[in-house]
Amino acid sequence: MSSSLDALNQWVLEVARLTQPDRIHWCDGSDSESRALTELMLSTGDLIALNPETYPDCYLHRSSPSDVARVEHLTFVCTPEPEDAGPNNHWTAPAEAHAKIDALFAGCMRGRTMYVIPYCMGPIDSPISRCGVELTDSPYVVANMRIMTRMGAAALARIERDGSFVKGLHSTGELDPDRRFIMHFPEELTIKSYGSGYGGNALLGKKCHALRIASYQARTEGWLAEHMLIVGIENPQGETHYVAAAFPSACGKTNLAMLIPPEGYLKAGWKVWTIGDDICWMTPGADGRLWAINPEAGFFGVAPGTSAKTNPNALAMLDHDAIFTNVAVTADNRPWWEGLPDGVPVTDWQGRPIADSDDPNNGPHNGPAAHPNSRFTVSANQCASFSPHAEDPQGVPLSAIVFGGRRESLVPLVFEARDWTHGVLVGASMASETTAAATGAVGVVRRDPMAMKPFCGYNFADYFAHWLSFDKPAAKLPKIFHVNWFRKGENGKFLWPGFGDNLRVLEWILKRVDGSADAHETPIGNLPQAGDLNVEGLGIGADELDALLAVDRAGWKHELSEIGAYLDSYGARTPDALKREQQSIVDALNG
Ligand code: OXD
Ligand code: MN
C-alpha cells in the first residue's frame, strides 16, 4: 500500500479513537451509496422530499435556525507565528487550538457513523487539482460533497498517486453556537470544524480547503487560489475569452457566471460559457499566461433573488437532482424563495406555517419565507451554459481579471487598472457592503481585498506581495478591471440594470484587452467615455450614464486616504510597491 494510503488509514483510526463513532463508512461516490444515504436522511428527517413530479430527486434540508451562514468570528488560522496569519485572520497557537477543538471532538460521534470522503478539487487528471479527505458524521455533508467535488474511488486513486492530501475533520456536534469552531492548520494541511452543518463551515473542500489552505499552499508553490468565478465570453467571430471575477459573497457571482446575453447580443451571436461560480485556481503556463480551473464540481448558490429574470440558467438547472437548504415550500411542495414571481409559500424555512395575516388565530408572519442565505446545491453538469472546457486538465487561459464590490456611491461602473501593480492595488483596496452569507450585520462597508477577507489563509500583506510577484518579464498577465453593478442614484434606485446587461461592460473590457476600445485616463484608472459603452435599448439617460462613469475627485481623495491607512494597518510587511502606487494616485488626484 502507498504511504499516502497508509497515512490515511492511520489518521482514520486515530480520529475514530478520539470521536468514537459506532461505524465507519468509506464513501465510494456510487449511485447506490447516494440512494442509501438519501433513504437514511428521509427516515431521520434530515431531508424532506419535494414534489416528485415537478422536482424529481430534489430534497429540502432545514438547518438548525442558529446555523445558517459562515461564522467568521469563530474561524481561525492557526500558524505557529501570529504574524503569518496576519491581522486579517483570527489566530490561536496550533497546540492550543488542537487541544481546544479535540476536547469537543472527544466521543462526539458515539451513536453516529463516521463517513470517510476522499475528494478531488478540480478535474481528476489536472496537474492543478489537489485532493483531500473529509471525515464527517453528517450524511448531509456527504450528499453535498458528492455534488460539489469529485468524490469517491477516483479521488482515492489520485491520493495514492499524489502521495499527499488535505485532512479535514468535521462533526456537527450539538449545533451549539457556543461550541463551534472552524480551525485551519495550514502548515499541517489540516482543517478541524466542529458544531456547524452549514456549507462554508462544513463542506470542507470548499472555503476551508480550496481557499484558506489552498491559498497558503499556492503561495509556497507559485500559484493563486482565489474567490472568483470563471466565465468564457464567445464573440460573434467565435473567439472565446476567459474572465475571472472576484466579488464578495452574495454579490452576484453565480448570476455573472451564467449570464444570458441581452437580446441584441444573442442575435449577433454572443455566447457565454460557465466554468465556475465561486473559486478559481490559477497558475502561470509555459506561455506566460495565467491558466485557471474551477476546483468545484457543483454550485452552492444563494437561492433568494434567483429567478427567470435574474438567472434563467440557474433556475432551469434546479428542477431535478438538487438539494435546497432553508428555502420555503408551497402548498404543492415546491421550493420557494423571495424573488420568484410564481408560487405562494405556505411553510417558511423553519417549517413554520406562513400565517394568513387575516387569520386572528395565527397572526401575521414576520420576516422572509426563505432564509436570506438559503441555498441550492446542484451539479455543474446540470447548467445549460456549463463549458465543455471546464474539465480541460490544463485549465483555460485568462484574458482579464475583474474585481467588484457592492458600493452604492463613489465607485464607477467600470475602470481599468493601468498595469499589474495598479491592478493589485485595486484588488487590495476593494470594499463592499456585507451580506447575509456570513453572520453579523448586513450592509456595512468593509475592506474585502480580492473578496478574500474571510478566506485568505495567511497575512494579507504577504498575499499582496505574492500577487505582485507574478509580474515577471516573460509573463503575459491578464488585464485587471474593477466593476460596480450596485451604484445607486439620488432616488435610491440602482443606476445600472445588471444581470444579462453586464455583458455590455464585459464587451468593453474585452475590447480593451484586444486594443479595440478607447479609454479615458483618470487618476483612479482608465474609464470608458459615455459613447464607448453599448447602452442601446436600456433607456439610461445621459445624466445617469455620466453618474455611472464619473470620477468624484473629492470622494476619491478621501477613499485613497482610507486605502493608505488600510495598507498601513498591515505594518512593515505591506509591499512598498503598493504604498508607492497609492501615493502616486493621491498625487495625481491633488495635481
Ligand atoms: C459562498 C460564500 O458560499 O462566499 O460561496 O459564502
Ligand atoms: Mn463564495
Side-chain angles (χ1 to χ4, degrees), residues 207-227:
K207 304 300 187 181
C208 301
H209 177 165
L211 289 175
R212 297 194 191 96
I213 298 287
S215 61
Y216 189 96
Q217 275 184 301
R219 180 186 172 213
T220 55
E221 296 172 6
W223 50 285
L224 288 163
E226 297 301 323
H227 190 204

Side-chain angles (χ1 to χ4, degrees), residues 69-70 72 198-200 206-207 211 227 247-250 253-254 277-279 296 300-302 373 375 435-438 451 454-455:
R70 285 183 291 98
E72 295 178 10
Y198 172 75
K206 193 173 178 62
K207 304 300 187 181
L211 289 175
H227 190 204
F247 295 84
S249 309
K253 288 214 300 296
T254 308
D277 79 331
D278 195 42
I279 301 179
E296 300 192 284
F300 179 66
V302 178
N373 193 35
R375 299 279 179 148
T435 67
F455 307 121

